[in-house]
Amino acid sequence: MPSKKVNIDRVFHALGDPTRRAIVEKLSEGPISVSRLAMPLAVTLAAVVQHLHVLEASGLVRTEKAGRVRTCRIDPAGLTVAEQWIGDQRSAWERRFDRLGDLLAGPDEK
Amino acid sequence: MPSKKVNIDRVFHALGDPTRRAIVEKLSEGPISVSRLAMPLAVTLAAVVQHLHVLEASGLVRTEKAGRVRTCRIDPAGLTVAEQWIGDQRSAWERRFDRLGDLLAGPDEK
């Protein structure tokens, strides 16, 4: 079930930043708290929280607070939207080459 | 052969704009001149040229001038880099679920 909030502009914009991609890469391995997520990244906790807001708003990441710990996890909806758009371009592009191939092969080959 | 100039930050940044995605969508159907590319887009020719610079710098599009006509075409390198990165995240994410499945199934099922 894709999140309602997924916006393809925001998904691609969010992925254009190396720290945000590092966050998505880490979360692809499993959910983790904000503080543990921030540890290996060469940025402040405040910067990580800011990046998480951008990732959440785009539909790439979800966060959830339980007691004093905020846990982050991948929201597959965001990546799926980006993957589908790229796949659509590849399909259009491959169909064009198939048609060119048919044309070059000539009527005898059809 | 991937272009040397492909930069994943720039690829995702470039795709975060709806006009640039519309350009990539159009070029996925085949090469076209800059002026014909601009026609259906609700932006000026100058804006299209600017967007093409961003797309070229990211490795998503190539342009080539023959006489007075500049022709634009998809550079598959840019989309491939984005597709691979997203695919890597999906693989990591699916591996995690496989491990969780094994754990839930218990030792008898292994």
Side-chain angles (χ1 to χ4, degrees):
Chain A
M1 189 181 69
S3 303
K4 281 180 193 168
K5 64 183 176 187
V6 174
N7 174 307
I8 190 164
D9 285 13
R10 287 186 174 186
V11 168
F12 282 126
H13 165 75
L15 295 177
D17 179 89
T19 304
R20 286 197 288 266
R21 282 201 311 283
I23 290 174
V24 171
E25 285 167 11
K26 186 64 193 163
L27 296 182
S28 294
E29 297 166 10
I32 192 172
S33 70
V34 175
S35 49
R36 284 191 60 199
L37 182 64
M39 263 182 236
L41 300 170
V43 289
T44 62
L45 185 62
V48 170
V49 169
Q50 189 52 44
H51 283 310
L52 282 170
H53 282 155
V54 175
L55 289 165
E56 246 189 311
S58 70
L60 282 159
V61 163
R62 287 182 205 170
T63 75
E64 198 176 20
K65 199 161 184 177
R68 292 171 61 188
V69 177
R70 181 169 288 278
T71 302
C72 318
R73 66 188 72 237
I74 285 285
D75 185 341
L79 282 182
T80 300
V81 161
E83 202 170 29
Q84 279 177 350
W85 185 85
I86 294 172
D88 287 349
Q89 306 326 305
R90 182 170 293 281
S91 301
W93 189 64
E94 284 172 353
R95 273 197 305 275
R96 191 176 82 81
F97 276 95
D98 286 348
R99 286 197 302 272
L100 277 177
D102 286 350
L103 247 123
L104 290 172
D108 292 342
E109 302 288 325
K110 287 192 93 175
Chain B
M1 189 182 67
S3 305
K4 280 180 193 169
K5 64 181 176 187
V6 173
N7 173 307
I8 190 165
D9 285 13
R10 287 186 175 187
V11 168
F12 282 127
H13 165 75
L15 294 177
D17 179 90
T19 303
R20 286 196 290 264
R21 283 201 310 282
I23 291 174
V24 172
E25 285 168 11
K26 185 65 194 165
L27 296 182
S28 293
E29 298 166 11
I32 192 172
S33 70
V34 176
S35 49
R36 283 190 59 199
L37 181 64
M39 263 183 234
L41 299 170
V43 288
T44 62
L45 186 61
V48 170
V49 169
Q50 188 54 43
H51 283 309
L52 282 170
H53 282 155
V54 176
L55 289 165
E56 247 190 310
S58 70
L60 283 159
V61 163
R62 287 181 205 170
T63 75
E64 198 176 21
K65 198 160 185 179
R68 294 171 61 189
V69 177
R70 181 170 290 277
T71 301
C72 318
R73 65 189 72 236
I74 285 285
D75 184 341
L79 281 182
T80 300
V81 161
E83 202 169 29
Q84 279 177 349
W85 185 86
I86 295 173
D88 287 348
Q89 306 326 306
R90 182 170 292 280
S91 302
W93 189 65
E94 285 172 353
R95 273 198 305 276
R96 192 176 83 81
F97 276 95
D98 286 349
R99 286 197 303 271
L100 277 176
D102 287 349
L103 247 123
L104 291 172
D108 293 340
E109 301 289 326
K110 287 194 95 175

